Amino acid sequence: MLGEGIIKGMAETARNFLGSYVSAERLTTVQYPEERSVQIENARQFPFLVFDGDDPMKGLRCVACQICEKECPPKCIYIVKSKDKRADYKGQMQLYPTTFNIDLSVCMSCGICVEVCPFESIKMNTEFELSTTDRFGGLLVNKHQLAKSNDHYRKIHPTDASSSDAALAVEVAKAQAKAKADVEAKAKAAAEAKAKAVAATPVAPQPVAAT
Amino acid sequence: MTDSLDQIFVFVKHWLLDQLANVLPPAIMPLVSSVMSLLPVLVVFPSLFALTTVFERKGLGRIQNRYGPNRVGPFGFLQFAADGIKAIIKEDVVPRAADKVVHFIAPVILVITALTVYAVLPFGRNMVAADFDAGLLFFFAVGAASELAVFMAGWSSRNKYALLGAMRAVAQMVSYEIPLILSSVAVVMITGTLSLPKIVAAQSTHAGLLPDWFVFTPWGFAGFILFLIAANAELNRSPFDLPEGESEIIAGYFIEYSGFKFALFFLAEYLSMFALSGLGITLFLGGWNAPFAALEFIPSWAWFFIKLLTMIFMFIWTRGTLPRLRQDQLMNLAWKFMIPMVLVNLVAAAVWHFTGPGITRWFTSGALVLGAYMLLGKPQFESKDIGKRTYRFAD
């Protein structure tokens, strides 16, 4: 019958109206400042820089390769390379950023910087309460504000952090194996050279004799 | 005691008038009297508007299983103050290409027309600002002027969306004015008067358990429903909010209004809603009469406001339930369903009037209304089975 659907709809909304006063589980919203919903693990807001060890500036993984700066679609990253080098986590001598700024008002949280970083050094943070009264300076964050420990990363994104740690461990193992191999190769080369030298010694006078 | 409580506002006004008559010259006393009748209207209904905005937002929230505003003041009931302050301190932007004079006076006219109609509404026993014989006619004549204001707003903004909204609004309001007026004409036919206090007086008796309200007759019930639908459309409220249509034309005719002028549009919309609800109460729900003789100790003005709040709740409830109509559905509903229905309803009212009291008139009048409803509604709004949907490219 005509109008039946309207009455059904009105009954449904009336049920919602009264039910929301009776049963709290009907209410779908979260009263934000007082209560918070748990963030899902893949939540991402803005990038941060990972550091190892205790000193944020010394342990920064970033080697100022500037790949993220070039790949960033809205161009919100600004990096200045250092003049000198220092040892990175696997002992290789690398550059480091003297300036690393991200303009959060420009960043669009795409996560491309994270995907392109070959050093596992830039990751996405979950911090979202970043409101400020200064919309220019307040949203331009430098490397001191960006640096967060690897423990922080393990806390916010445990799965990603463990795979990142594993990748770095593989790199370190590879580097150690290579160093070991180098040492062995060097030793071998030295031994060979020595053996060659030893073998060559008796022969050496011959040309002299020949001449 | 109950009588004095019922007439308390009337007594206060007369006492004040007597006091002022000693001080003021007699020539301006009629003016003072009308100001004193209008002042409560100017205070009570805008305050009711403020409260209704909060109630509406909370009600809609509850309908959608959320809390609604609950931050400002106790349970969020001071939200209207925050909204009001925000509206006042916002910048008032007038488009450069707009017709500045018309742009300015459109919301003013809208509010004035919305307020003027309160003059003829009886809020309680002996409580009507201007009791004149053509009250109903005055109500509709002034109410129709709001269409002019809406079109002024849309036209003067020099904005495509505003103009579209205004044209939609005028088409809709003109179409629904007819069922709105014709559904009230049935009441005029029965009571034989256009004066709203007399229409209320005609519904003050009790027949058995039910009061003699017109909503408890077949033609009155149909008339009340038709009146509600037409009033909803006249007020541009959901499901008839095409002139505003946020998802299509952003805000319609008041898109170029900001700050306090924007608030004035809302004020006018809600004031018209209260006025039309008041008219619906007066015509069909027995005005300020108590439903049962035993409940007459509650003052008449309190009954009016109880009924008014119920009507407001009905409006909020429909707004929270029904989705917006399409333009062609809107026009079909008005011209192919509502107008034939109100015309049949007039015949039903006449049948009711001329078939003396008894059960026969219930059957004849009721059969007329119900038959017309089935015949008109069935072919037009029946959901057609169009079969299973097939996709050419998506599969």
Side-chain angles (χ1 to χ4, degrees):
Chain A
M1 199 177 147
L2 173 63
E4 206 180 337
I6 293 178
I7 292 168
K8 267 187 202 159
M10 299 285 269
E12 183 61 39
T13 43
R15 205 175 304 135
N16 279 351
F17 181 83
L18 297 173
S20 65
Y21 283 101
V22 182
S23 64
E25 60 262 34
R26 267 182 176 273
L27 294 163
T28 50
T29 47
V30 174
Q31 298 300 299
Y32 160 61
E34 291 92 32
E35 44 181 286
R36 285 146 191 275
S37 51
V38 182
Q39 281 189 321
I40 56 162
E41 204 194 314
N42 285 342
R44 65 169 193 233
Q45 293 299 330
F46 294 112
F48 71 99
L49 294 175
V50 189
F51 70 83
D52 297 307
D54 300 323
D55 187 352
M57 287 308 105
K58 281 210 180 96
L60 222 49
R61 287 181 188 170
C62 179
V63 299
C65 66
Q66 293 180 314
I67 293 177
C68 54
E69 188 184 20
K70 290 184 185 98
E71 292 284 342
C72 178
K75 299 274 173 263
C76 70
I77 304 178
Y78 175 69
I79 300 172
V80 176
K81 283 183 184 183
S82 63
K83 296 276 186 288
D84 55 327
K85 287 191 175 185
R86 68 178 186 199
D88 68 355
Y89 66 99
K90 51 184 180 186
Q92 207 173 344
M93 293 309 278
Q94 296 278 18
L95 298 173
Y96 61 95
T98 51
T99 307
F100 196 115
N101 290 344
I102 294 181
D103 192 344
L104 297 187
S105 63
V106 177
C107 177
M108 60 183 199
S109 307
C110 62
I112 287 178
C113 50
V114 178
E115 280 172 34
V116 298
C117 181
F119 299 94
E120 304 283 344
S121 81
I122 189 162
K123 297 290 173 194
M124 297 306 273
N125 205 347
T126 51
E127 175 66 43
F128 58 91
E129 285 154 319
L130 299 160
S131 61
T132 168
T133 49
D134 175 11
R135 64 175 167 151
F136 302 110
L139 290 171
L140 184 70
V141 289
N142 58 29
K143 65 171 178 175
H144 298 275
Q145 292 156 293
L146 284 169
K148 297 273 176 343
S149 70
N150 198 19
D151 290 336
H152 172 76
Y153 182 41
R154 286 194 191 113
K155 206 170 77 192
I156 59 171
H157 293 144
T159 317
D160 288 353
S162 58
S163 64
S164 157
D165 284 348
L168 285 182
V170 168
E171 286 292 312
V172 170
K174 230 188 257 173
Q176 279 169 353
K178 191 162 177 270
K180 206 175 158 195
D182 281 354
V183 169
E184 276 171 9
K186 216 178 257 174
K188 202 176 166 193
E192 267 173 20
K194 208 175 168 187
K196 215 175 177 181
V198 171
T201 324
V203 191
Q206 275 180 346
V208 178
T211 48
Chain B
M1 174 57 204
T2 52
D3 200 41
S4 63
L5 195 62
D6 190 40
Q7 296 296 300
I8 184 162
F9 299 115
V10 182
F11 289 155
V12 166
K13 187 195 163 187
H14 284 293
W15 179 78
L16 272 175
L17 272 183
D18 288 345
Q19 300 296 308
L20 287 171
N22 301 330
V23 195
L24 298 168
I28 64 159
M29 281 317 285
L31 185 71
V32 172
S33 171
S34 19
V35 166
M36 279 167 62
S37 297
L38 289 175
L39 217 55
V41 172
L42 292 178
V43 173
V44 169
F45 286 95
S47 327
L48 190 61
F49 155 69
L51 270 179
T52 307
T53 53
V54 181
F55 276 127
E56 173 149 35
R57 290 175 63 183
K58 286 186 92 69
L60 288 179
R62 287 291 173 173
I63 282 170
Q64 295 156 8
N65 281 332
R66 37 184 192 88
Y67 286 101
N70 62 354
R71 297 284 134 174
V72 193
F75 297 103
F77 274 106
L78 290 177
Q79 184 68 40
F80 68 88
D83 289 346
I85 292 166
K86 180 188 153 202
I88 291 168
I89 62 175
K90 276 220 164 180
E91 186 188 358
D92 179 26
V93 184
V94 180
R96 196 166 21 157
D99 186 334
K100 294 199 174 48
V101 179
V102 182
H103 191 265
F104 176 75
I105 60 174
V108 178
I109 290 180
L110 202 58
V111 172
I112 288 175
T113 54
L115 276 171
T116 313
V117 294
Y118 285 96
V120 292
L121 281 182
F123 305 115
R125 194 174 281 124
N126 304 327
M127 282 167 70
V128 54
D131 179 12
F132 58 97
D133 284 341
L136 190 64
L137 191 64
F138 175 83
F139 189 101
F140 286 127
V142 174
S146 64
E147 282 153 44
L148 176 70
V150 164
F151 200 71
M152 279 164 73
W155 184 262
S156 65
S157 297
R158 211 173 221 270
N159 178 309
K160 291 185 196 78
Y161 293 121
L163 188 57
L164 272 175
M167 285 162 90
R168 283 182 178 194
V170 170
Q172 175 177 327
M173 288 163 108
V174 168
S175 304
Y176 280 86
E177 198 102 303
I178 301 162
L180 185 74
I181 294 173
L182 285 182
S183 58
S184 339
V185 164
V187 175
V188 177
M189 280 166 60
I190 295 290
T191 54
T193 176
L194 282 164
S195 159
L196 293 175
K198 282 184 188 141
I199 289 174
V200 175
Q203 303 177 71
S204 59
T205 50
H206 294 266
L209 190 63
L210 286 177
D212 270 342
W213 298 355
F214 292 137
V215 75
F216 298 123
T217 59
W219 61 270
F221 182 73
F224 181 58
I225 301 291
L226 289 166
F227 182 90
L228 270 187
I229 297 172
N232 226 332
E234 197 71 7
L235 296 165
N236 301 335
R237 279 178 68 85
S238 179
F240 302 103
D241 58 347
L242 287 103
E244 284 162 38
E246 293 91 345
S247 47
E248 307 151 23
I249 49 173
I250 302 120
Y253 52 87
F254 53 81
I255 187 172
E256 290 290 5
Y257 284 89
S258 50
F260 198 64
K261 287 183 198 159
F262 183 77
L264 281 185
F265 274 101
F266 266 93
L267 177 68
E269 187 189 319
Y270 280 88
L271 286 178
S272 318
M273 181 172 109
F274 304 149
L276 272 173
S277 304
L279 187 68
I281 291 164
T282 307
L283 293 178
F284 298 101
L285 296 179
W288 39 259
N289 285 311
F292 307 106
L295 289 172
E296 264 164 12
F297 66 92
I298 298 173
S300 57
W301 43 268
W303 274 117
F304 181 85
F305 276 95
I306 291 169
K307 290 173 186 176
L308 185 61
L309 288 174
T310 318
M311 290 282 280
I312 291 169
F313 182 75
M314 279 298 294
F315 276 118
I316 295 172
W317 190 9
T318 31
R319 182 178 169 184
T321 306
L322 301 174
R324 192 185 303 137
L325 268 71
R326 221 166 47 213
Q327 189 73 32
D328 61 320
Q329 293 171 333
L330 178 89
M331 287 297 148
N332 279 346
L333 182 69
W335 294 95
K336 290 188 186 165
F337 180 73
M338 302 260 305
I339 291 176
M341 268 310 287
V342 284
L343 291 173
V344 172
N345 198 38
L346 286 184
V347 178
V351 166
W352 175 271
H353 187 63
F354 289 112
T355 323
I359 199 84
T360 350
R361 66 175 182 177
W362 275 89
F363 276 114
T364 43
S365 183
L368 256 174
V369 170
L370 202 66
Y373 179 72
M374 300 299 259
L375 280 175
L376 284 168
K378 189 87 174 138
Q380 278 185 53
F381 301 106
E382 192 179 35
S383 55
K384 293 174 193 73
D385 187 16
I386 52 169
K388 193 173 176 288
R389 177 173 285 196
T390 52
Y391 297 95
R392 272 195 299 162
F393 303 113
D395 278 335

